[in-house]
């Protein structure tokens, strides 16, 4: 996915607006509170439902991956990554992890959910136009990754 295109209003079909997330959410007020730091109108925000495991598996986790991007200068972008539970539960399962990987797949940042976490968020990071990174979600033996280019 190319984040710089998001700033031009070009989105992949499986990435939906946060408004769509709130409309479908079983607890929209909680998810709205969890995204308060994303209220800046200059941020372009999208979310995607991610399954870690098969939906029929009782150990599977459904989560929303939220991405926000903002152009800071001609070639520099600021990015925020957050994970929220997508089911009717209010917290993420402990040990659900979100990782930021660089172009060589080295871990740059990592955050794991603790008991009672309503969301987890990587620290904001910056990248240059055409720079690539990967976001990886892991839970137990399940892993999902998304490759991005700024």
């Amino acid at each position: 996915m190319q984040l710089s295109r998001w700033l031009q209003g070009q989105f992949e079909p499986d990435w939906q607006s946060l408004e769509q997330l709130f409309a479908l959410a079983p607890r929209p007020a909680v998810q709205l509170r969890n995204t308060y730091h994303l209220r800046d109108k200059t941020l372009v925000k999208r979310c995607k439902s991610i399954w870690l495991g098969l939906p029929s598996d009782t150990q599977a986790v459904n989560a929303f991956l939220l991405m926000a991007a903002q152009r800071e200068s001609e070639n520099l972008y600021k990015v925020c990554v957050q994970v929220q539970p997508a089911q009717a539960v209010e917290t993420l399962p402990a040990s659900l992890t979100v990782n930021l990987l660089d172009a060589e797949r080295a871990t740059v940042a990592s955050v794991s959910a603790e008991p009672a976490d309503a969301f987890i968020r990587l620290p904001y990071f910056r990248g240059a136009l055409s720079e690539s990174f990967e976001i990886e979600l892991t839970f137990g033996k399940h892993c999902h990754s998304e490759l991005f280019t700024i």
Side-chain angles (χ1 to χ4, degrees), residues 14 82 118:
D14 51 346
Q82 180 176 314

Side-chain angles (χ1 to χ4, degrees), residues 9-143:
Q10 300 173 14
F11 308 102
E12 294 79 7
D14 51 346
W15 286 89
Q16 53 189 308
S17 70
L18 293 190
E19 291 76 18
Q20 291 171 310
L21 165 72
F22 300 139
L24 300 171
R27 49 190 221 310
V30 172
Q31 287 183 302
L32 183 59
R33 270 195 312 274
N34 294 343
T35 58
Y36 184 74
H37 67 284
L38 299 175
R39 69 190 179 285
D40 185 341
K41 299 281 187 208
T42 63
L43 287 169
V44 175
K45 303 159 271 235
R46 290 288 169 186
C47 66
K48 181 178 186 178
S49 177
I50 305 291
W51 275 99
L52 295 166
L54 297 173
S56 60
D57 181 359
T58 59
Q59 300 299 313
V61 172
N62 186 217
F64 282 119
L65 175 61
L66 283 75
M67 299 284 297
Q70 178 181 48
R71 187 175 185 169
E72 290 197 320
S73 67
E74 186 175 333
N75 292 318
L76 188 65
Y77 293 79
K78 179 169 81 171
V79 180
C80 177
V81 178
Q82 180 176 314
V83 179
Q84 290 190 19
Q87 300 163 329
V89 296
E90 292 189 12
T91 60
L92 291 168
S95 77
L96 173 71
T97 302
V98 59
N99 300 305
L100 169 62
L101 309 175
D102 65 15
E104 288 78 39
R105 299 209 76 238
T107 302
V108 176
S110 182
V111 177
S112 293
E114 299 289 332
D117 277 348
F119 68 93
I120 54 176
R121 180 177 67 221
L122 289 170
Y124 279 87
F125 60 94
R126 288 172 175 74
L129 192 61
S130 300
E131 188 174 352
S132 295
F133 65 93
E134 192 171 341
I135 299 298
E136 179 183 73
L137 296 176
T138 61
F139 180 67
K141 64 182 181 191
H142 304 293
C143 181

Side-chain angles (χ1 to χ4, degrees), residues 1-7 10 12 129-130 147-150:
M1 273 142 286
Q2 194 133 20
L3 290 182
S4 59
R5 289 187 182 161
W6 286 16
L7 294 154
Q10 300 173 14
E12 294 79 7
L129 192 61
S130 300
L147 184 60
F148 295 89
T149 300
I150 298 176

